[in-house]
PDB file of all heavy atoms in Angstrom:
ATOM      1  N   LEU A 108      36.223 134.784   5.480  1.00 98.00           N
ATOM      2  CA  LEU A 108      36.435 133.437   5.012  1.00 98.00           C
ATOM      3  C   LEU A 108      37.354 133.414   3.784  1.00 98.00           C
ATOM      4  O   LEU A 108      38.279 132.537   3.781  1.00 98.00           O
ATOM      5  CB  LEU A 108      35.062 132.766   4.589  1.00 98.00           C
ATOM      6  CG  LEU A 108      34.134 132.591   5.757  1.00 98.00           C
ATOM      7  CD1 LEU A 108      32.706 132.155   5.216  1.00 98.00           C
ATOM      8  CD2 LEU A 108      34.637 131.525   6.733  1.00 98.00           C
ATOM      9  N   GLN A 109      37.249 134.332   2.906  1.00 98.00           N
ATOM     10  CA  GLN A 109      38.111 134.294   1.717  1.00 98.00           C
ATOM     11  C   GLN A 109      39.543 134.782   2.027  1.00 98.00           C
ATOM     12  O   GLN A 109      40.552 134.197   1.452  1.00 98.00           O
ATOM     13  CB  GLN A 109      37.569 135.267   0.599  1.00 98.00           C
ATOM     14  CG  GLN A 109      36.285 134.777  -0.037  1.00 98.00           C
ATOM     15  CD  GLN A 109      35.787 135.580  -1.201  1.00 98.00           C
ATOM     16  OE1 GLN A 109      36.054 136.757  -1.261  1.00 98.00           O
ATOM     17  NE2 GLN A 109      35.009 134.988  -2.109  1.00 98.00           N
ATOM     18  N   GLN A 110      39.700 135.672   2.916  1.00 98.00           N
ATOM     19  CA  GLN A 110      41.032 136.240   3.165  1.00 98.00           C
ATOM     20  C   GLN A 110      41.816 135.492   4.258  1.00 98.00           C
ATOM     21  O   GLN A 110      43.058 135.764   4.454  1.00 98.00           O
ATOM     22  CB  GLN A 110      40.927 137.756   3.453  1.00 98.00           C
ATOM     23  CG  GLN A 110      40.432 138.534   2.249  1.00 98.00           C
ATOM     24  CD  GLN A 110      40.333 140.026   2.561  1.00 98.00           C
ATOM     25  OE1 GLN A 110      40.919 140.571   3.420  1.00 98.00           O
ATOM     26  NE2 GLN A 110      39.458 140.653   1.752  1.00 98.00           N
ATOM     27  N   THR A 111      41.176 134.659   5.011  1.00 99.00           N
ATOM     28  CA  THR A 111      41.850 134.008   6.120  1.00 99.00           C
ATOM     29  C   THR A 111      41.916 132.391   5.885  1.00 99.00           C
ATOM     30  O   THR A 111      42.796 131.809   6.443  1.00 99.00           O
ATOM     31  CB  THR A 111      41.239 134.205   7.450  1.00 99.00           C
ATOM     32  OG1 THR A 111      39.956 133.502   7.585  1.00 99.00           O
ATOM     33  CG2 THR A 111      41.002 135.705   7.772  1.00 99.00           C
ATOM     34  N   GLY A 112      40.903 131.915   5.294  1.00 98.00           N
ATOM     35  CA  GLY A 112      40.825 130.420   5.139  1.00 98.00           C
ATOM     36  C   GLY A 112      40.289 129.772   6.363  1.00 98.00           C
ATOM     37  O   GLY A 112      40.308 128.549   6.565  1.00 98.00           O
ATOM     38  N   CYS A 113      39.659 130.561   7.323  1.00 98.00           N
ATOM     39  CA  CYS A 113      39.111 129.965   8.534  1.00 98.00           C
ATOM     40  C   CYS A 113      37.804 129.262   8.220  1.00 98.00           C
ATOM     41  O   CYS A 113      37.328 129.241   7.036  1.00 98.00           O
ATOM     42  CB  CYS A 113      38.963 131.039   9.549  1.00 98.00           C
ATOM     43  SG  CYS A 113      37.470 132.101   9.446  1.00 98.00           S
ATOM     44  N   ASP A 114      37.197 128.641   9.253  1.00 98.00           N
ATOM     45  CA  ASP A 114      36.086 127.832   9.040  1.00 98.00           C
ATOM     46  C   ASP A 114      34.716 128.380   9.414  1.00 98.00           C
ATOM     47  O   ASP A 114      33.669 127.895   8.936  1.00 98.00           O
ATOM     48  CB  ASP A 114      36.253 126.520   9.846  1.00 98.00           C
ATOM     49  CG  ASP A 114      37.624 125.780   9.506  1.00 98.00           C
ATOM     50  OD1 ASP A 114      37.698 125.386   8.285  1.00 98.00           O
ATOM     51  OD2 ASP A 114      38.421 125.684  10.307  1.00 98.00           O
ATOM     52  N   ALA A 115      34.731 129.294  10.233  1.00 98.00           N
ATOM     53  CA  ALA A 115      33.431 129.807  10.808  1.00 98.00           C
ATOM     54  C   ALA A 115      33.608 131.214  11.344  1.00 98.00           C
ATOM     55  O   ALA A 115      34.714 131.636  11.690  1.00 98.00           O
ATOM     56  CB  ALA A 115      32.900 128.873  11.850  1.00 98.00           C
ATOM     57  N   VAL A 116      32.485 131.900  11.408  1.00 99.00           N
ATOM     58  CA  VAL A 116      32.496 133.251  12.058  1.00 99.00           C
ATOM     59  C   VAL A 116      31.654 133.159  13.313  1.00 99.00           C
ATOM     60  O   VAL A 116      30.735 132.372  13.464  1.00 99.00           O
ATOM     61  CB  VAL A 116      31.979 134.322  11.144  1.00 99.00           C
ATOM     62  CG1 VAL A 116      32.869 134.533   9.950  1.00 99.00           C
ATOM     63  CG2 VAL A 116      30.461 134.122  10.705  1.00 99.00           C
ATOM     64  N   LYS A 117      31.942 134.086  14.272  1.00 99.00           N
ATOM     65  CA  LYS A 117      31.100 134.138  15.523  1.00 99.00           C
ATOM     66  C   LYS A 117      30.601 135.586  15.606  1.00 99.00           C
ATOM     67  O   LYS A 117      31.339 136.526  15.276  1.00 99.00           O
ATOM     68  CB  LYS A 117      31.989 133.761  16.777  1.00 99.00           C
ATOM     69  CG  LYS A 117      31.271 133.994  18.022  1.00 99.00           C
ATOM     70  CD  LYS A 117      31.918 133.272  19.254  1.00 99.00           C
ATOM     71  CE  LYS A 117      33.001 134.043  19.910  1.00 99.00           C
ATOM     72  NZ  LYS A 117      32.633 135.381  20.448  1.00 99.00           N
ATOM     73  N   LEU A 118      29.403 135.714  16.106  1.00 98.00           N
ATOM     74  CA  LEU A 118      28.848 137.019  16.329  1.00 98.00           C
ATOM     75  C   LEU A 118      28.096 137.056  17.672  1.00 98.00           C
ATOM     76  O   LEU A 118      27.598 135.992  18.120  1.00 98.00           O
ATOM     77  CB  LEU A 118      28.000 137.481  15.106  1.00 98.00           C
ATOM     78  CG  LEU A 118      26.848 136.696  14.623  1.00 98.00           C
ATOM     79  CD1 LEU A 118      25.587 136.776  15.506  1.00 98.00           C
ATOM     80  CD2 LEU A 118      26.509 137.058  13.184  1.00 98.00           C
ATOM     81  N   GLU A 119      27.997 138.243  18.269  1.00 98.00           N
ATOM     82  CA  GLU A 119      27.358 138.409  19.526  1.00 98.00           C
ATOM     83  C   GLU A 119      25.886 138.757  19.300  1.00 98.00           C
ATOM     84  O   GLU A 119      25.600 139.631  18.554  1.00 98.00           O
ATOM     85  CB  GLU A 119      28.045 139.459  20.365  1.00 98.00           C
ATOM     86  CG  GLU A 119      29.514 139.086  20.703  1.00 98.00           C
ATOM     87  CD  GLU A 119      30.135 140.140  21.596  1.00 98.00           C
ATOM     88  OE1 GLU A 119      29.544 141.074  22.011  1.00 98.00           O
ATOM     89  OE2 GLU A 119      31.365 139.937  21.895  1.00 98.00           O
ATOM     90  N   GLY A 120      25.055 138.107  20.138  1.00 98.00           N
ATOM     91  CA  GLY A 120      23.604 138.491  20.052  1.00 98.00           C
ATOM     92  C   GLY A 120      22.764 137.304  20.037  1.00 98.00           C
ATOM     93  O   GLY A 120      23.104 136.282  19.499  1.00 98.00           O
ATOM     94  N   GLY A 121      21.476 137.473  20.562  1.00 98.00           N
ATOM     95  CA  GLY A 121      20.511 136.414  20.627  1.00 98.00           C
ATOM     96  C   GLY A 121      19.348 136.592  19.575  1.00 98.00           C
ATOM     97  O   GLY A 121      19.619 136.744  18.422  1.00 98.00           O
TER      98      GLY A 121
END
Side-chain angles (χ1 to χ4, degrees):
L108 294 172
Q109 289 187 334
Q110 294 178 23
T111 72
C113 79
D114 302 299
V116 296
K117 174 165 86 58
L118 54 81
E119 294 184 5

